[in-house]
Amino acid sequence: MLIKKVILPIKGMHCASCAMAIEKGLYKLPGVKGATVNFATERATVEYDPEQVDLREIEEAVAKLGYKVIKEETQKLELRVLGMASPHCAGVVSKAVRSLRGINEIDVNYANEKAVIKFDPEQVSQDQIKKVIEEAGYKPLEIERETLGETDKEKEAREREIHRLKFLFIFSLALSLPILIISMFLGEFPGKNLLLFFLTTPVQLVGGYRFYKGSIGSLRYKAANMDVLIALGTSAAYVYSVAATFFIRGAVYYETAALVITFILLGKLLEARAKGKASEAIKKLLGLAPKTAHVIQNGEEVEILAEEVQVGDIVLVRPGEKIPVDGKITEGYTTIDESMVTGESIPVEKKVGDEVIGATINKHGFFKFEATRVGKDTVLSQIVKLVEEAQGSKAPIQRLADVVSNYFVQAVVLIAALTFIIWYFILNATFVFALTAMTAVLVIACPCALGLATPTAIIVGTGKGAENGILIKSGEALERASKLDTIIFDKTGTLTKGEPEVTDIIPLNQNTYKQILELAAIAERGSEHPLAEAILKKAKEKGIKIADAQSFEALSGYGVKVKFKGKRILLGNRKLIRDKGLSTEEIEEKIRSLENEGKTVIILASDHEVSGLIAVADALKENSKEAVETLKRMGLKISLITGDNLRTSRAIGREVGIDQVLAEVPPQDKANKIKELQQKGRVVAMVGDGINDAPALAQADIGIALGSGTDIAIESGHIVLVKDDLRDVVASIKLSRVTMRKIKQNLFWAFFYNTAGIPIAAGLLYPFFGLLLRPEFAALAMALSSVSVVSNSLLLKKFKLSLK
């Protein structure tokens, strides 16, 4: 029995009872096997038997209940397309899908075997799209995105494909070995050619079926892939041998056809296994999600599927259990192992009010938490999405390989034809010699090695990063990060903890300690700056009641201006005070003394006079100095950029080991400073918190945004560090460099192999050394070339992300 699943957007639901009413109505329809309605997302997931009920009847049933099914003009279908190995394959799939009416957009990536298709459901159905992909010779699998903990259909399909290839290889090998022995080691005997025919034909038709099918599928859409080369090469040897057996009575080359197919099947088998390992990072992330959750419903504990948890549900977690979704602790205390998401090995202490991340492991305590992010909004889902997008992206270095691959098959067929013509008609070689050279050219050429050189390394490299809390958003970002020569760090919240504390309060002009702190707190009450938080915290500690100001104006990069009880209060840096016509000469010595200690000095002015000074210090993060020293050893130029004054900034710079300091730069001007460096030819990375630094992160060649374990969807960062640890800046650059090294090695091997292999197969060495490459050895070389590229990329999995 075929069961279909559809997700329907529904308008008009206001509460859980609306969702329950729709579910009851749907279950009354014959053929509806499952119905889950979520009023929060306004989606209904319906499983039904199309032989008993159709989609129109389901939509009508919803409408009769007083709700509306929204029909989107454009739908998006995400498919895993198994069997693609080069840009040619992606082109075949794209042409096949575009041949249908109603296709608005299609993006096919052969590396992660994924196709994203936007289409008009009124003109074309999902089944029609899948059918044309199958007709083109590939296997489409719909990507389920409702839950992360579901059965991995892609893994099952890949395992079936590996099992099928293994069977075909063993089947072909079992027949090819006797073919080889009879052809090479046994003399002539009656019926020899007939025996070889009967042994070779199953290999050609059964083992080679996938290549014929792929050829027909690609040629149907006026494209040609590697299957065409294999089918042409083996068919030439097989057909000639059949003719020699039954008609012209000459030498036969059955072993060539059989061994070529056998060796290529071996290569496909090894390649499939290697590619499965290359994308293991995503599978590991998907496998982290727990299947069930314990929630409180009507005052009782109930076990439900993790995917059914709603925002606002109270979830219970016992020691040793996985946390099902993201949330905030409402009761209890515990330690949580977040290593699988952040890469941090030390368990983190959590108390009431702290956030927890779905898929992490509760170590010791029992606690309850309120679900805040579920489904596709959880940290784990966002990480999976970022990694998938990165693995599907292309690095600029890949463009040449893609261009070559697009014309590769046609060029090889032309070279093969010319090889035959030159040897047979111009150089007067025998027909068999010319045929052998032509066949060798067809089967030695390997567009797959070119196509896999870059994307496999990107897949493994970005996956390796994700496992360690480093999210590289694209192949382009990965390539640019490898070329960096300058790193600029923001100060507050990046090099420092971002938790400043008031260290000194110096009253002036007969003001008291309490008056200065009270006026400063009143001025900062409307501010969100970290320095404001420090002043407000100090005021609360001293028991000061903070009144509201009559007006508030934040002056970005300078301070704040407020009115309180008719007085104008200014709180900020020297520039703010001087711009308002007040002098700081008499207090400069005190200010400099505090700044030389690495403290930020805030000046308070009231009633047109300077009333006091407040010094604030922000401690360095424990790993800041170590990270900076390592980056300098790597040959990178390090700078510090901050809105703070020069003297304080230099003190912080000295402490952490940074000589070049760009001080007194307001947030809006940081991007311009980066642009100035770029105009001098520098390749710049900006490291910041992703909030105040957003323009600078966007302007930089690489924006590295520090997450907090839960905030990983920082739009302005090209690289997001899940852990708030600057050592990961070092790790991300090292990972980018080693990944690019692998890509260059792969491309060199792929280009060298093809540029050297094709002329040798064509007989270039024969006039000088009497060597002609047999097609079966050419096929073996071709099979191993793809495997070598993927295997070289897999070595990245062993790379240690250390600071040494």
Side-chain angles (χ1 to χ4, degrees):
M1 179 174 63
L2 174 66
I3 299 295
K4 284 192 172 184
K5 184 166 113 174
V6 65
I7 299 171
L8 301 173
I10 298 177
K11 290 293 182 185
M13 293 188 288
H14 305 291
C15 59
S17 59
C18 299
M20 290 176 65
I22 294 172
E23 286 180 3
K24 287 181 180 178
L26 290 173
Y27 273 119
K28 289 179 181 178
L29 291 173
V32 172
K33 306 300 180 183
T36 305
V37 184
N38 188 322
F39 77 91
T41 60
E42 297 184 307
R43 291 285 189 275
T45 303
V46 186
E47 294 179 355
Y48 65 98
D49 181 354
E51 293 183 2
Q52 294 182 274
V53 64
D54 60 29
L55 186 57
R56 181 182 53 79
E57 291 174 304
I58 292 172
E59 291 172 351
E60 288 176 355
V62 173
K64 286 177 182 177
L65 293 168
Y67 305 97
K68 186 177 181 181
V69 176
I70 305 300
K71 289 188 177 180
E72 299 175 0
E73 291 184 8
T74 299
Q75 286 187 10
K76 185 167 83 169
L77 175 63
E78 293 188 35
L79 296 173
R80 192 71 67 191
V81 183
L82 301 183
M84 294 193 296
S86 69
H88 247 295
C89 301
V92 171
V93 172
S94 184
K95 284 183 179 180
V97 174
R98 287 188 186 280
S99 68
L100 297 170
R101 291 183 61 189
I103 301 297
N104 299 326
E105 187 180 327
I106 177 168
D107 180 32
V108 185
N109 188 293
Y110 60 89
N112 61 4
E113 298 180 312
K114 184 178 175 184
V116 180
I117 303 152
K118 292 181 180 178
F119 64 98
D120 182 354
E122 297 292 329
Q123 297 186 61
V124 65
S125 69
Q126 293 186 12
D127 289 341
Q128 287 174 300
I129 294 171
K130 292 175 187 176
K131 184 179 178 183
V132 295
I133 292 174
E134 284 181 347
E135 288 174 348
Y138 303 93
K139 177 68 176 176
L141 287 173
E142 191 166 350
I143 299 173
E144 301 287 349
R145 288 218 175 269
E146 288 307 296
T147 65
L148 288 170
E150 65 182 16
T151 303
D152 191 351
K153 294 181 180 178
E154 179 208 341
K155 183 179 179 182
E156 291 177 0
R158 196 179 292 280
E159 286 176 350
R160 283 197 301 270
E161 175 66 9
I162 289 172
H163 181 75
R164 190 181 300 115
L165 283 168
K166 187 177 179 181
F167 166 77
L168 289 173
F169 167 67
I170 293 172
F171 173 82
S172 299
L173 182 64
L175 291 172
S176 295
L177 287 176
I179 292 170
L180 177 64
I181 293 168
I182 294 168
S183 300
M184 297 294 183
F185 303 107
L186 298 183
E188 291 297 323
F189 58 87
K192 177 180 177 180
N193 289 355
L194 196 61
L195 175 60
L196 289 172
F197 167 75
F198 285 117
L199 288 171
T200 305
T201 300
V203 178
Q204 189 72 33
L205 300 181
V206 178
Y209 172 75
R210 62 185 291 115
F211 306 118
Y212 287 114
K213 183 181 178 183
S215 299
I216 293 168
S218 65
L219 293 172
R220 178 181 293 164
Y221 299 102
K222 298 179 181 178
N225 59 11
M226 195 187 78
D227 291 338
V228 173
L229 298 179
I230 298 166
L232 282 173
T234 57
S235 296
Y238 177 75
V239 170
Y240 174 79
S241 298
V242 170
T245 301
F246 295 102
F247 306 109
I248 60 177
R249 301 296 176 186
V252 296
Y253 294 89
Y254 286 116
E255 77 281 0
T256 296
L259 287 171
V260 165
I261 288 172
T262 301
F263 286 143
I264 290 173
L265 286 172
L266 173 62
K268 289 286 184 185
L269 174 61
L270 295 175
E271 184 183 324
R273 284 178 171 170
K275 285 174 72 176
K277 290 179 182 177
S279 57
E280 274 179 356
I282 287 287
K283 295 182 179 68
K284 284 182 181 177
L285 290 171
L286 289 168
L288 293 176
K291 300 288 192 298
T292 60
H294 298 95
V295 300
I296 302 294
Q297 292 183 353
N298 300 320
E300 295 183 1
E301 180 184 337
V302 180
E303 185 176 21
I304 63 173
L305 293 174
E307 64 205 61
E308 295 175 354
V309 176
Q310 305 291 322
V311 172
D313 281 354
I314 300 299
V315 185
L316 288 76
V317 185
R318 294 179 174 81
E321 291 183 345
K322 281 187 177 181
I323 299 168
V325 296
D326 297 356
K328 187 172 287 187
I329 294 180
T330 57
E331 182 182 328
Y333 172 88
T334 189
T335 55
I336 293 175
D337 178 2
E338 297 182 341
S339 60
M340 60 288 299
V341 175
T342 66
E344 178 58 64
S345 59
I346 301 172
V348 183
E349 294 185 1
K350 300 284 185 177
K351 60 184 183 301
V352 172
D354 288 343
E355 292 185 324
V356 293
I357 305 172
T360 56
I361 300 172
N362 181 30
K363 298 294 286 184
H364 302 298
F366 170 85
F367 68 94
K368 298 178 184 178
F369 73 92
E370 180 183 351
T372 57
R373 287 187 289 236
V374 301
K376 66 181 185 339
D377 297 323
T378 64
V379 168
L380 181 60
S381 295
Q382 291 175 41
I383 290 175
V384 169
K385 183 183 177 186
L386 280 176
V387 175
E388 283 190 328
E389 288 174 353
Q391 293 184 344
S393 65
K394 292 184 178 181
I397 198 172
Q398 187 177 336
R399 289 170 188 154
L400 176 60
D402 283 355
V403 170
V404 172
S405 294
N406 284 333
Y407 301 99
F408 192 87
V409 176
Q410 297 93 318
V412 170
V413 172
L414 179 62
I415 292 169
L418 288 173
T419 298
F420 182 86
I421 292 168
I422 291 169
W423 278 114
Y424 188 65
F425 292 104
I426 298 175
L427 299 178
N428 295 319
T430 65
F431 179 84
V432 170
F433 185 99
L435 180 68
T436 300
M438 182 189 76
T439 304
V441 169
L442 288 170
V443 298
I444 200 170
C446 187
C448 296
L450 281 173
L452 292 169
T454 300
T456 52
I458 289 175
I459 287 171
V460 180
T462 53
K464 180 75 175 179
E467 290 172 5
N468 291 274
I470 299 167
L471 305 178
I472 301 172
K473 289 188 174 181
S474 68
E476 185 176 358
L478 189 143
E479 181 173 342
R480 270 190 281 163
S482 71
K483 299 175 181 177
L484 292 171
D485 56 35
T486 303
I487 311 290
I488 298 179
F489 286 96
D490 179 51
K491 180 175 76 72
T492 305
T494 302
L495 286 172
T496 64
K497 292 181 178 178
E499 300 170 358
E501 294 182 350
V502 174
T503 57
D504 304 85
I505 295 178
I506 302 173
L508 302 170
N509 296 324
Q510 299 181 340
N511 288 287
T512 65
Y513 179 103
K514 183 178 178 183
Q515 286 173 326
I516 298 301
L517 183 56
E518 183 178 6
L519 287 175
I522 290 168
E524 293 284 33
R525 188 167 187 180
S527 174
E528 295 180 352
H529 196 280
L531 298 182
E533 293 179 13
I535 291 170
L536 293 169
K537 181 181 176 183
K538 191 71 172 179
K540 289 176 183 176
E541 287 175 1
K542 297 296 182 181
I544 295 173
K545 291 184 178 180
I546 306 169
D548 290 324
Q550 276 81 52
S551 67
F552 173 87
E553 183 182 356
L555 306 169
S556 181
Y558 302 103
V560 296
K561 180 175 75 173
V562 302
K563 277 190 177 181
F564 178 67
K565 293 184 178 180
K567 296 180 181 179
R568 184 185 72 164
I569 301 173
L570 300 173
L571 188 69
N573 56 24
R574 287 184 184 85
K575 185 164 177 49
L576 173 66
I577 302 302
R578 289 170 182 168
D579 286 352
K580 300 303 179 182
L582 299 175
S583 173
T584 61
E585 287 183 13
E586 294 180 4
I587 55 174
E588 274 299 322
E589 188 176 342
K590 291 180 181 177
I591 293 175
R592 288 173 186 164
S593 175
L594 292 167
E595 287 176 344
N596 284 331
E597 296 174 18
K599 297 174 181 177
T600 300
V601 179
I602 306 168
I603 305 170
L604 176 72
S606 174
D607 273 345
H608 306 288
E609 68 174 10
V610 176
S611 305
L613 305 175
I614 298 176
V616 178
D618 189 4
L620 283 173
K621 291 177 181 174
E622 58 181 308
N623 299 314
S624 296
K625 188 173 183 179
E626 183 184 5
V628 169
E629 287 175 350
T630 307
L631 289 168
K632 288 167 77 173
R633 286 199 302 271
M634 291 167 63
L636 294 159
K637 295 176 181 177
I638 313 299
S639 300
L640 169 63
I641 193 167
T642 177
D644 216 334
N645 66 82
L646 182 60
R647 194 170 287 105
T648 300
S649 303
R650 281 180 174 169
I652 294 292
R654 281 194 301 273
E655 193 176 348
V656 80
I658 298 176
D659 300 322
Q660 186 174 358
V661 175
L662 304 171
E664 299 178 18
V665 182
Q668 63 270 24
D669 289 341
K670 289 180 180 178
N672 292 330
K673 291 292 182 182
I674 291 172
K675 193 182 293 184
E676 288 173 13
L677 289 171
Q678 290 171 326
Q679 288 170 350
K680 294 176 183 177
R682 306 270 277 274
V683 184
V684 183
M686 171 71 190
V687 185
D689 59 14
I691 305 166
N692 297 326
D693 305 315
L697 287 168
Q699 175 62 43
D701 296 285
I702 289 294
I704 302 178
L706 297 176
S708 60
T710 55
D711 181 20
I712 59 90
I714 300 173
E715 293 298 324
S716 48
H718 303 98
I719 297 175
V720 177
L721 307 180
V722 178
K723 298 195 299 293
D724 194 5
D725 188 339
L726 289 181
R727 291 178 299 180
D728 283 347
V729 175
V730 178
S732 64
I733 295 171
K734 284 190 172 185
L735 179 62
S736 299
R737 287 181 176 181
V738 74
T739 303
M740 285 308 300
R741 208 156 48 235
K742 287 295 178 190
I743 288 173
K744 289 173 181 177
Q745 290 169 3
N746 289 346
L747 285 172
F748 171 80
W749 164 248
F751 276 110
F752 173 78
Y753 166 80
N754 281 292
T755 53
I758 292 174
I760 291 171
L764 182 66
L765 299 180
Y766 188 80
F768 307 102
F769 305 103
L771 295 175
L772 182 65
L773 188 65
R774 288 187 62 84
E776 52 266 42
F777 295 121
L780 180 61
M782 188 275 280
L784 294 178
S785 65
S786 292
V787 176
S788 66
V789 163
V790 179
S791 299
N792 189 43
S793 297
L794 284 173
L795 292 175
L796 281 170
K797 294 165 78 73
K798 297 184 179 181
F799 176 67
K800 302 293 183 185
L801 291 174
S802 64
L803 292 185
K804 296 180 181 178

